[in-house]
Amino acid sequence: MKDIHVEDFKISNEIKISDLDTSYDLDADKKKTEKELRKVSKDLADIQNTMYAHGKYAVLFCIQGMDTAGKDSLIREVFKEFNVRGVESHSFKQPTDLELDHDYLWRHYIALPERGKFGIFNRTHYENVLITRVHPKFILNEKLPDIHSIEDVNEAFWDRRFNQINDFEKHISENGTIIFKFFLNVSKDEQKDRLLRRLNKPSKNWKFSPDDLAERKLWDDYQACYEDILNRTSKPHAPWYNIPADDKPTARYLVAK
């Protein structure tokens, strides 16, 4: 099995998303990869135990990716060996009425992990410069004082929001939260195959939604937004990692390492 070098996956310079890998050869079969993942997961669980005793740091694990990228199963497998009391997972979907009565970062801030724990954001605060950027009409639901129409959701608005997100991450980092951000990079062809499996395999039918097909038509829009996110918000204190995600066991192992 190949040695993994973190720097090979970290977004440290400006990138074009079309140049990033969606597949990676570990030089190992599925059984070997899963065996090594269990070892790494146990090591991570030991680190969390030490963190809990130390009581000064938390870890925020942020995961983003296109539909079918394998976010849920990755979380399940990477954290399988953890004591359940040492890890908390949050999945951020459409904001509730209560959440819309606060600023867009509020629901993420109150879900941050306490010192000694790992917190998982399955879809993250970056949905606020992703979904809402592809569908700017959603911004109107936030009832912002200076936004009266979609025309007000301009580039200056997005520049301000990116600055707010960078400030948010810098603030929590300086106060003891170690941040890892993973972009599960799945190819368009692989996404098509996974969507078809949801349709053709009865046990996967529950995962399929007609909205998946509508969103797939916006693939290029989402890729452009992700490219902007990776370039504007990968910082030394909150780095992004591109995780080739066309093979799920490989992606899980890379994230754990």
Side-chain angles (χ1 to χ4, degrees):
M1 176 175 273
K2 285 183 181 177
D3 290 333
I4 300 301
H5 303 286
V6 171
E7 296 301 320
D8 292 341
F9 303 91
K10 185 184 290 186
I11 304 297
S12 302
N13 302 298
E14 186 167 338
I15 56 90
K16 287 186 67 66
I17 202 165
S18 58
D19 294 335
L20 298 179
D21 292 329
T22 63
S23 61
Y24 185 82
D25 184 7
L26 281 174
D27 195 22
D29 60 20
K30 180 179 179 181
K31 186 174 181 180
K32 173 68 172 176
T33 303
E34 291 176 343
K35 180 180 178 181
E36 291 301 313
L37 172 59
R38 285 193 294 273
K39 292 180 181 178
V40 180
S41 182
K42 289 178 181 177
D43 290 341
L44 288 172
D46 289 341
I47 290 171
Q48 188 275 313
N49 286 332
T50 302
M51 282 176 47
Y52 184 81
H54 189 224
K56 291 191 176 182
Y57 292 96
V59 171
L60 179 61
F61 174 99
C62 298
I63 184 166
Q64 287 281 160
M66 297 291 286
D67 289 335
T68 78
K71 297 180 286 293
D72 292 340
S73 60
L74 182 145
I75 291 167
R76 182 185 67 238
E77 296 301 323
V78 169
F79 293 94
K80 182 181 289 186
E81 301 296 332
F82 272 58
N83 184 319
V84 295
R85 291 178 295 181
V87 60
E88 299 174 347
S89 182
H90 301 272
S91 183
F92 296 100
K93 301 185 184 297
Q94 182 176 336
T96 65
D97 289 341
L98 174 62
E99 289 165 347
L100 288 170
D101 281 337
H102 293 79
D103 72 90
Y104 71 96
L105 284 173
W106 176 78
R107 64 175 181 162
H108 305 288
Y109 196 90
I110 63 173
L112 289 171
E114 61 193 79
R115 290 183 175 87
K117 290 188 177 182
F118 274 59
I120 305 167
F121 283 5
N122 179 4
R123 297 188 182 273
T124 71
H125 42 292
Y126 285 98
E127 296 290 287
N128 297 288
V129 287
L130 181 70
I131 296 288
T132 51
R133 203 169 182 192
V134 175
H135 301 284
K137 63 182 181 182
F138 293 156
I139 292 293
L140 301 180
N141 295 330
E142 296 184 21
K143 297 173 281 189
L144 297 171
D146 57 342
I147 302 297
H148 308 290
S149 68
I150 290 179
E151 286 68 34
D152 295 325
V153 187
N154 52 28
E155 283 307 306
F157 172 86
W158 296 116
D159 289 343
R160 186 166 67 247
R161 185 153 284 198
F162 273 112
N163 289 335
Q164 291 165 350
I165 288 173
N166 282 326
D167 288 344
F168 165 69
E169 291 179 347
K170 192 171 192 299
H171 169 70
I172 64 173
S173 172
E174 290 175 346
N175 283 275
T177 298
I178 302 168
I179 306 167
F180 295 93
K181 301 182 298 194
F182 300 98
F183 171 52
L184 298 191
N185 193 1
V186 65
S187 67
K188 193 173 184 180
D189 286 342
E190 179 61 23
Q191 188 199 54
K192 176 183 175 182
D193 291 342
R194 292 180 186 180
L195 286 172
L196 288 173
R197 285 199 291 274
R198 288 182 178 182
L199 281 171
N200 297 327
K201 193 172 180 180
S203 63
K204 300 288 186 181
N205 287 168
W206 66 274
K207 288 189 172 184
F208 181 78
S209 166
D211 290 342
D212 295 339
L213 300 181
E215 292 295 279
R216 179 173 164 81
K217 292 178 181 178
L218 300 171
W219 176 275
D220 291 341
D221 294 335
Y222 278 106
Q223 292 292 291
C225 287
Y226 269 123
E227 183 172 293
D228 208 22
I229 286 168
L230 296 176
N231 283 325
R232 297 174 72 166
T233 65
S234 192
K235 307 294 182 182
H237 59 273
W240 276 105
Y241 296 88
N242 177 68
I243 303 298
D246 279 357
D247 179 71
K248 289 185 179 183
T250 297
R252 295 163 188 164
Y253 179 73
L254 292 175
V255 166
K257 287 294 283 184

